[in-house]
Amino acid sequence: MENGVYNVSLTVTDSDGSTHTVYNDVSVNDLGPTAEFKSKPDSPMEGDMISFTDKSTYISDEIVSWSWDFGGIGTSSQKNPTFTFSEAGEYKVVLTITDDDGSTDKKSRNIKVTKPVPTARFNADPEPQTEGVSIKFTDYSISSAEIVSWGWDFGGEGTSTEQNPEFIFDKDGVYTVTLTITDIDESINTVSHELTILDAAPNADFETVPSSPMKGISVTFM
């Protein structure tokens, strides 16, 4: 039955054949749709493509149109659109649906978009690392925003703010080297690696005096 006002009559008849009829108007209300949607990923970052999936339901009248508002910076009439927010922030996404009877419903949801976190990475050269030998540390960090600072901790033995520093460990042992980077958006990331510094083997060497001895001559070895 469609929504509207219907005039319903009831006629009763008794055993003597007498009748009576009563009339009443009955209003049948439209069962409108219920708007609902989901989005993926759950924790989007700026630049991510976000998929919006319509989860709306209806009882009798089929949904025929979808209207999306992505926080005032974009719209769509697709049932399951995608959208990319280019900057971090919190955006109110609104879905408005309409069924084939003209009934509408809205659902809004706040989508929090964060800045991408940089990834700190580095390498150490040469391999293997030995005490007393200068080791070059090369930054291989990646970030969507410019990296503006580097903080190195060489296992408590020293520090540096250079991008690609060099450092000498005076003693053998295992040291935890940590690199902390900060990008221009003040996002921070840290990575640590253990370095095994090997004991430097002694170098055998000597000289003779005189350097070119002849037979029968006393030679001093030093």
Side-chain angles (χ1 to χ4, degrees):
M1 180 180 289
E2 297 292 331
N3 60 299
V5 178
Y6 296 86
N7 186 258
V8 180
S9 65
L10 171 63
T11 301
V12 296
T13 304
D14 63 17
S15 59
D16 293 329
S18 298
T19 63
H20 181 72
T21 301
V22 64
Y23 297 90
N24 279 315
D25 288 335
V26 177
S27 295
V28 177
N29 295 320
D30 181 42
L31 292 175
T34 301
E36 183 60 86
F37 68 89
K38 301 292 183 182
S39 64
K40 288 290 184 180
D42 296 327
S43 301
M45 294 185 291
E46 62 181 29
D48 283 349
M49 179 178 289
I50 305 174
S51 298
F52 293 89
T53 303
D54 171 55
K55 294 292 185 179
S56 303
T57 57
Y58 62 93
I59 300 297
S60 58
D61 300 310
E62 185 178 356
I63 300 170
V64 294
S65 72
W66 298 261
S67 177
W68 298 82
D69 181 349
F70 301 110
I73 60 174
T75 60
S76 177
S77 59
Q78 297 179 19
K79 181 179 181 181
N80 300 307
T82 59
F83 193 78
T84 299
F85 295 97
S86 59
E87 295 184 2
E90 191 163 326
Y91 300 88
K92 183 178 181 180
V93 177
V94 181
L95 167 63
T96 302
I97 57 173
T98 304
D99 66 19
D100 58 9
D101 199 36
S103 297
T104 63
D105 191 39
K106 290 184 179 181
K107 178 66 177 183
S108 63
R109 194 182 302 279
N110 289 333
I111 304 295
K112 186 176 182 180
V113 179
T114 59
K115 291 182 179 296
V117 177
T119 301
R121 302 188 307 181
F122 70 88
N123 199 5
D125 187 68
E127 289 278 1
Q129 290 86 32
T130 306
E131 63 181 359
V133 176
S134 180
I135 301 171
K136 182 176 181 179
F137 293 88
T138 303
D139 168 54
Y140 285 106
S141 303
I142 55 175
S143 176
S144 60
E146 179 186 2
I147 299 173
V148 294
S149 73
W150 297 261
W152 297 84
D153 181 346
F154 301 110
E157 299 295 308
T159 61
S160 176
T161 57
E162 296 180 19
Q163 181 179 1
N164 301 304
E166 294 189 18
F167 190 77
I168 296 174
F169 293 93
D170 294 329
K171 297 180 180 180
D172 62 293
V174 179
Y175 298 87
T176 299
V177 178
T178 301
L179 167 62
T180 300
I181 58 172
T182 304
D183 68 19
I184 199 169
D185 293 325
E186 299 184 351
S187 295
I188 298 173
N189 191 242
T190 299
V191 65
S192 297
H193 293 305
E194 285 190 347
L195 289 188
T196 299
I197 306 301
L198 302 178
D199 182 40
N203 292 319
D205 195 12
F206 68 91
E207 62 180 20
T208 61
V209 178
S211 58
S212 301
M214 292 184 296
K215 182 178 179 181
I217 299 298
S218 176
V219 179
T220 302
F221 294 89
M222 295 184 296

